[in-house]
PDB file of all heavy atoms in Angstrom:
ATOM      1  N   ALA H 199       1.745  16.197   4.457  1.00 98.00           N
ATOM      2  CA  ALA H 199       0.421  15.790   3.976  1.00 98.00           C
ATOM      3  C   ALA H 199       0.405  14.355   3.442  1.00 98.00           C
ATOM      4  O   ALA H 199      -0.659  13.820   3.136  1.00 98.00           O
ATOM      5  CB  ALA H 199      -0.041  16.747   2.886  1.00 98.00           C
ATOM      6  N   VAL H 200       1.570  13.719   3.342  1.00 98.00           N
ATOM      7  CA  VAL H 200       1.637  12.353   2.779  1.00 98.00           C
ATOM      8  C   VAL H 200       1.175  11.348   3.841  1.00 98.00           C
ATOM      9  O   VAL H 200       1.632  11.379   4.978  1.00 98.00           O
ATOM     10  CB  VAL H 200       3.078  12.017   2.334  1.00 98.00           C
ATOM     11  CG1 VAL H 200       3.185  10.552   1.891  1.00 98.00           C
ATOM     12  CG2 VAL H 200       3.507  12.942   1.201  1.00 98.00           C
ATOM     13  N   ARG H 201       0.287  10.457   3.424  1.00 98.00           N
ATOM     14  CA  ARG H 201      -0.198   9.458   4.380  1.00 98.00           C
ATOM     15  C   ARG H 201       0.792   8.310   4.517  1.00 98.00           C
ATOM     16  O   ARG H 201       1.273   7.792   3.506  1.00 98.00           O
ATOM     17  CB  ARG H 201      -1.571   8.947   3.963  1.00 98.00           C
ATOM     18  CG  ARG H 201      -2.606  10.034   4.114  1.00 98.00           C
ATOM     19  CD  ARG H 201      -3.992   9.523   3.922  1.00 98.00           C
ATOM     20  NE  ARG H 201      -4.315   9.303   2.529  1.00 98.00           N
ATOM     21  CZ  ARG H 201      -5.548   9.152   2.078  1.00 98.00           C
ATOM     22  NH1 ARG H 201      -6.563   9.173   2.914  1.00 98.00           N
ATOM     23  NH2 ARG H 201      -5.782   8.961   0.795  1.00 98.00           N
ATOM     24  N   LEU H 202       1.043   7.944   5.754  1.00 98.00           N
ATOM     25  CA  LEU H 202       1.939   6.823   6.053  1.00 98.00           C
ATOM     26  C   LEU H 202       1.100   5.681   6.616  1.00 98.00           C
ATOM     27  O   LEU H 202       0.475   5.815   7.667  1.00 98.00           O
ATOM     28  CB  LEU H 202       2.995   7.236   7.078  1.00 98.00           C
ATOM     29  CG  LEU H 202       3.840   8.476   6.743  1.00 98.00           C
ATOM     30  CD1 LEU H 202       4.948   8.651   7.789  1.00 98.00           C
ATOM     31  CD2 LEU H 202       4.429   8.376   5.351  1.00 98.00           C
ATOM     32  N   LEU H 203       1.109   4.557   5.907  1.00 98.00           N
ATOM     33  CA  LEU H 203       0.333   3.389   6.333  1.00 98.00           C
ATOM     34  C   LEU H 203       1.254   2.390   7.009  1.00 98.00           C
ATOM     35  O   LEU H 203       2.414   2.254   6.631  1.00 98.00           O
ATOM     36  CB  LEU H 203      -0.322   2.715   5.127  1.00 98.00           C
ATOM     37  CG  LEU H 203      -0.999   3.607   4.086  1.00 98.00           C
ATOM     38  CD1 LEU H 203      -1.666   2.743   3.011  1.00 98.00           C
ATOM     39  CD2 LEU H 203      -2.013   4.526   4.737  1.00 98.00           C
ATOM     40  N   TYR H 204       0.718   1.670   7.973  1.00 98.00           N
ATOM     41  CA  TYR H 204       1.440   0.516   8.519  1.00 98.00           C
ATOM     42  C   TYR H 204       0.856  -0.745   7.887  1.00 98.00           C
ATOM     43  O   TYR H 204      -0.368  -0.870   7.748  1.00 98.00           O
ATOM     44  CB  TYR H 204       1.312   0.431  10.059  1.00 98.00           C
ATOM     45  CG  TYR H 204       1.811  -0.929  10.501  1.00 98.00           C
ATOM     46  CD1 TYR H 204       3.176  -1.182  10.559  1.00 98.00           C
ATOM     47  CD2 TYR H 204       0.919  -1.989  10.716  1.00 98.00           C
ATOM     48  CE1 TYR H 204       3.651  -2.459  10.852  1.00 98.00           C
ATOM     49  CE2 TYR H 204       1.385  -3.262  11.004  1.00 98.00           C
ATOM     50  CZ  TYR H 204       2.751  -3.488  11.065  1.00 98.00           C
ATOM     51  OH  TYR H 204       3.215  -4.750  11.331  1.00 98.00           O
ATOM     52  N   GLY H 205       1.718  -1.699   7.533  1.00 98.00           N
ATOM     53  CA  GLY H 205       1.248  -2.979   7.013  1.00 98.00           C
ATOM     54  C   GLY H 205       2.061  -4.123   7.586  1.00 98.00           C
ATOM     55  O   GLY H 205       3.279  -4.003   7.777  1.00 98.00           O
ATOM     56  N   GLY H 206       1.394  -5.237   7.833  1.00 98.00           N
ATOM     57  CA  GLY H 206       2.054  -6.433   8.365  1.00 98.00           C
ATOM     58  C   GLY H 206       1.223  -7.018   9.484  1.00 98.00           C
ATOM     59  O   GLY H 206       1.234  -6.508  10.597  1.00 98.00           O
ATOM     60  N   SER H 207       0.428  -8.072   9.137  1.00 97.00           N
ATOM     61  CA  SER H 207      -0.373  -8.792  10.127  1.00 97.00           C
ATOM     62  C   SER H 207      -1.352  -7.900  10.878  1.00 97.00           C
ATOM     63  O   SER H 207      -1.603  -8.113  12.071  1.00 97.00           O
ATOM     64  CB  SER H 207       0.538  -9.548  11.106  1.00 97.00           C
ATOM     65  OG  SER H 207       1.250 -10.563  10.420  1.00 97.00           O
ATOM     66  N   VAL H 208      -1.916  -6.907  10.172  1.00 98.00           N
ATOM     67  CA  VAL H 208      -2.984  -6.106  10.792  1.00 98.00           C
ATOM     68  C   VAL H 208      -4.259  -6.958  10.815  1.00 98.00           C
ATOM     69  O   VAL H 208      -4.623  -7.581   9.815  1.00 98.00           O
ATOM     70  CB  VAL H 208      -3.239  -4.800  10.005  1.00 98.00           C
ATOM     71  CG1 VAL H 208      -4.425  -4.029  10.601  1.00 98.00           C
ATOM     72  CG2 VAL H 208      -1.986  -3.924  10.004  1.00 98.00           C
ATOM     73  N   THR H 209      -4.906  -6.972  11.967  1.00 98.00           N
ATOM     74  CA  THR H 209      -6.155  -7.724  12.130  1.00 98.00           C
ATOM     75  C   THR H 209      -7.163  -6.851  12.883  1.00 98.00           C
ATOM     76  O   THR H 209      -6.809  -5.774  13.387  1.00 98.00           O
ATOM     77  CB  THR H 209      -5.937  -9.002  12.973  1.00 98.00           C
ATOM     78  OG1 THR H 209      -5.534  -8.591  14.289  1.00 98.00           O
ATOM     79  CG2 THR H 209      -4.900  -9.917  12.366  1.00 98.00           C
TER      80      THR H 209
END
Side-chain angles (χ1 to χ4, degrees):
V200 174
R201 291 189 283 196
L202 305 187
L203 316 183
Y204 168 77
S207 295
V208 176
T209 64

